[in-house]
Amino acid sequence: MLDKVGNALKTGIRKISNAITIDKKLVDEIIKDLQRSLIEADVNVELVFELSQKIRKLALDEEIKGIEKKEQLVKLIHDQIEILLGEGKELKLNKKDKILLLGLYGSGKTTTISKLAFYYSKRGKKVAVLGLDTQRPAAMDQLEQMATKAKVKSFIDKEEKDPLKIYQNYKKELDKYDLVFVDTAGRDGLNKELSKEIKNIVKKIKPSHKILIMPADIGQTAKTQAEEFQKAVGIDGVIITRMDGTSKAGGALTACAETKAPIYFIGVGEQIHELESFNPSSFVSRILGMGDLNALLEKVQSATDEKQQERIQNRLKEGKFTLMDVYNQLEQMNKLGSMDKILRMVPGIGGAIDKIPKSELEKQERKMQHYKHAISSMTTEEIETPEIFDKETSRIKRVANGSGTTTSEIRELLKQYKMLKEMMGMQQGMSEGNIDPKMIQKMAKKFGGKMRR
Ligand code: GDP
Ligand code: MG
């Protein structure tokens, strides 16, 4: 439903993560992509503009450097989209609840009632539904059928035209249930008649909740509609239906956010189980498919020995990056946890990891152990100037034999060393002595890439 927004976000965040420096060109590019997809998803242009401004301001803030800026940018985008999407709220239930569903014709009230009845009866509540839509022909039949599907009791009256009387007739029975969902009539718009009818029902039933049902395809109009219902009869929150069939979902969601109406659920299909509780935070993480970036950054930071990093940076400056440094890096990675745990947290790899067989990951871990053993059985000269192996290849065989590893493993290790050295040179140039834990992330990524081949 918000796939396009999700993709734009994903691409943007990947661009940020991979960028060596965050310059104006990159920022413009990311903002343009985001803007296009947000506006396509019907998000209010003003809101999109505000978001762009915030991203631009932070991105071009020269006070914030390196990894910190990337981190803050990703977090900003994540948080802002979350705010845009509005507040998800759990429907707080008491022992006895009567919940009134309101909305215009065809908004999805009756369907949603059966979904809610199904949802809560599955969770152990004693649920009934009450039909008070005396406007639409066959409304009662529809409710009855849907209640049967949900396996809950329905109270309906196909003859009576006064909703208050229907309620009065069933009042005693209804009191036996934990949870009663009340279906009401709609109109084409919120006119005087509808507003009066709802007010009378409210006065009589004294519902614990009044929930407005709006279909996602009304887009930004959801704002006016929520405001009108709020003003006329008061609402606790909303449920957005038909999220599955529209590209305008962003409009409805952000419109609700603007009115501060919490969203309890979203309807994602016609079937009885197609109801989801709405949680913007996990929603964003899900559309981003980004893995737990923050957790990774935290881990990297806590495992990265700053002194050690400083030492490496200094050695690099002097052109003295050795296999000992590789050894230390491997140690640091060990501290982060198992290979698959690390990789799982790297954005963009998270999902791919499940495609790597577990045995592959274990093989990779073993390999790292072998690298360490190999380095341990090298001479100081070899460790300090690994280039010596290129000239005297017989050394490779000696080290392999001495450490219980193979010559191809040693060659691989030497390749990794060169790669790391090159990578660190890059980092050096970019962050001028700044400690950059991103290196470990990059390393994990490279190893990951290797494995996937
Ligand atoms: P009411 O007039 O407010 O009671 O609306 P209904 O419950 O009768 O729903 C109107 C139409 O919307 C019906 O055809 C439903 O099947 C459809 N509908 C309701 N919710 C959803 C949803 O989440 N997804 C889809 N695709 N259709 C829905
Ligand atoms: Mg209905």
Side-chain angles (χ1 to χ4, degrees):
M1 80 198 92
L2 290 174
D3 298 357
K4 278 192 191 139
V5 180
N7 284 337
L9 284 174
K10 260 189 255 181
T11 316
I13 283 174
R14 197 173 310 132
K15 278 180 187 163
I16 294 171
S17 311
N18 293 342
I20 293 176
T21 46
I22 296 183
D23 56 11
K24 194 172 169 304
K25 190 169 155 280
L26 177 77
V27 174
D28 284 342
E29 201 180 300
I30 292 168
I31 289 179
K32 218 170 94 201
D33 286 352
L34 252 183
Q35 283 180 337
R36 192 186 306 121
S37 55
L38 284 170
I39 288 169
E40 259 176 43
D42 193 39
V43 175
N44 183 321
V45 176
E46 256 173 63
L47 294 180
V48 175
F49 188 67
E50 270 173 40
L51 172 66
S52 312
Q53 294 287 75
K54 282 184 189 156
I55 296 174
R56 185 169 284 121
K57 186 161 173 281
L58 174 62
L60 302 178
D61 186 340
E62 288 182 0
E63 298 286 301
I64 315 164
K65 293 238 181 324
I67 185 92
E68 211 180 314
K69 178 174 286 180
K70 293 184 187 185
E71 237 178 305
Q72 287 189 18
L73 261 180
V74 172
K75 191 167 176 335
L76 174 83
I77 294 176
H78 182 284
D79 292 353
Q80 291 294 316
I81 297 286
E82 197 178 312
I83 292 169
L84 267 190
L85 285 179
E87 191 190 347
K89 205 169 173 181
E90 204 182 329
L91 196 54
K92 277 262 176 311
L93 297 178
N94 307 303
K95 271 231 156 62
K96 296 268 175 198
D97 288 281
K98 292 197 179 68
I99 299 178
L100 211 58
L101 271 73
L102 313 170
L104 303 182
Y105 275 143
S107 59
K109 294 178 295 299
T110 311
T111 311
T112 305
I113 287 216
S114 65
K115 288 177 179 177
L116 288 168
F118 183 69
Y119 182 93
Y120 284 105
S121 64
K122 283 257 174 221
R123 282 161 179 75
K125 292 271 183 187
K126 196 176 171 203
V127 181
V129 302
L130 170 67
L132 298 188
D133 181 357
T134 54
Q135 283 284 316
R136 223 179 81 184
M140 293 291 173
D141 293 309
Q142 187 198 2
L143 183 65
E144 188 178 32
Q145 282 162 18
M146 300 200 88
T148 309
K149 262 195 205 151
K151 298 197 175 69
V152 300
K153 173 81 179 155
S154 56
F155 295 93
I156 55 165
D157 189 326
K158 295 179 189 176
E159 310 299 326
E160 181 57 61
K161 287 293 162 217
D162 180 357
L164 299 187
K165 280 198 183 140
I166 301 179
Y167 172 71
Q168 191 55 47
N169 289 341
Y170 289 127
K171 189 175 180 312
K172 262 217 174 92
E173 287 262 12
L174 288 170
D175 284 341
K176 295 179 191 157
Y177 290 83
D178 302 332
L179 199 48
V180 177
F181 291 104
V182 185
D183 193 18
T184 63
R187 297 292 190 282
D188 288 328
L190 180 57
N191 55 20
K192 279 212 177 87
E193 193 188 65
L194 178 59
S195 146
K196 188 164 164 243
E197 182 176 315
I198 296 170
K199 277 182 190 155
N200 285 335
I201 293 176
V202 169
K203 222 158 103 191
K204 179 96 180 166
I205 300 187
K206 298 190 184 63
S208 52
H209 302 79
K210 286 168 278 178
I211 301 177
L212 176 63
I213 311 298
M214 293 186 290
D217 40 42
I218 65 170
Q220 291 175 32
T221 320
K223 187 179 172 198
T224 340
Q225 207 175 106
E227 280 168 354
E228 279 175 7
F229 272 84
Q230 177 60 33
K231 210 166 129 212
V233 294
I235 52 169
D236 297 278
V238 304
I239 293 177
I240 308 285
T241 62
R242 300 214 283 259
M243 287 285 286
D244 50 311
T246 178
S247 58
K248 283 179 150 191
L253 294 178
T254 53
C256 290
E258 278 188 274
T259 64
K260 304 255 185 319
I263 300 170
Y264 294 120
F265 289 96
I266 51 178
V268 294
E270 293 188 58
Q271 300 304 314
I272 200 153
H273 61 275
E274 290 174 313
L275 182 77
E276 290 178 8
S277 59
F278 183 64
N279 178 342
S281 168
S282 68
F283 191 79
V284 176
S285 298
R286 206 171 64 193
I287 57 175
L288 289 181
M290 61 190 265
D292 202 344
L293 181 66
N294 287 340
L296 176 67
L297 289 173
E298 258 167 42
K299 271 198 138 187
V300 170
Q301 231 126 32
S302 64
T304 308
D305 181 339
E306 295 205 2
K307 282 225 174 70
Q308 162 71 10
Q309 290 288 338
E310 223 169 60
R311 208 175 61 83
I312 293 180
Q313 296 288 352
N314 287 335
R315 292 169 70 82
L316 262 177
K317 258 189 208 155
E318 298 159 18
K320 267 198 211 151
F321 180 69
T322 73
L323 275 171
M324 207 57 216
D325 301 307
V326 175
Y327 185 93
N328 289 329
Q329 286 299 323
L330 291 174
E331 281 278 80
Q332 301 249 343
M333 280 188 74
N334 266 354
K335 274 198 238 165
L336 288 177
S338 69
M339 204 54 170
D340 86 315
K341 261 206 213 119
I342 301 172
L343 290 179
R344 204 171 283 284
M345 290 187 282
V346 179
I349 294 187
I353 189 117
D354 293 319
K355 298 192 190 99
I356 308 172
K358 193 143 184 65
S359 58
E360 264 303 310
L361 290 169
E362 282 164 7
K363 209 164 98 194
Q364 196 65 23
E365 267 169 16
R366 255 198 321 275
K367 201 182 274 172
M368 306 262 273
Q369 282 303 324
H370 284 188
Y371 288 169
K372 283 171 67 181
H373 293 156
I375 295 171
S376 307
S377 61
M378 288 177 188
T379 65
T380 314
E381 192 191 10
E382 285 163 349
I383 289 173
E384 297 280 318
T385 43
E387 287 74 17
I388 198 169
F389 285 105
D390 295 337
K391 287 181 216 131
E392 300 169 36
T393 47
S394 61
R395 286 175 185 265
I396 294 180
K397 197 162 170 45
R398 196 207 79 240
V399 173
N401 285 341
S403 59
T405 60
T406 63
T407 51
S408 67
E409 277 178 320
I410 308 293
R411 285 207 182 82
E412 256 177 62
L413 168 63
L414 292 169
K415 233 162 86 188
Q416 300 276 3
Y417 160 76
K418 279 182 197 145
M419 200 178 77
L420 263 177
K421 190 173 179 182
E422 196 184 302
M423 215 160 78
M424 302 221 5
M426 250 162 55
Q427 297 258 339
Q428 174 69 14
M430 123 195 188
S431 57
E432 273 312 309
N434 254 357
I435 300 152
D436 197 341
K438 184 78 189 293
M439 174 175 54
I440 291 179
Q441 195 182 340
K442 265 203 175 157
M443 229 168 115
K445 238 182 193 166
K446 289 244 170 170
F447 282 126
K450 223 169 134 37
M451 274 186 284
R452 268 179 297 159
R453 247 174 259 144

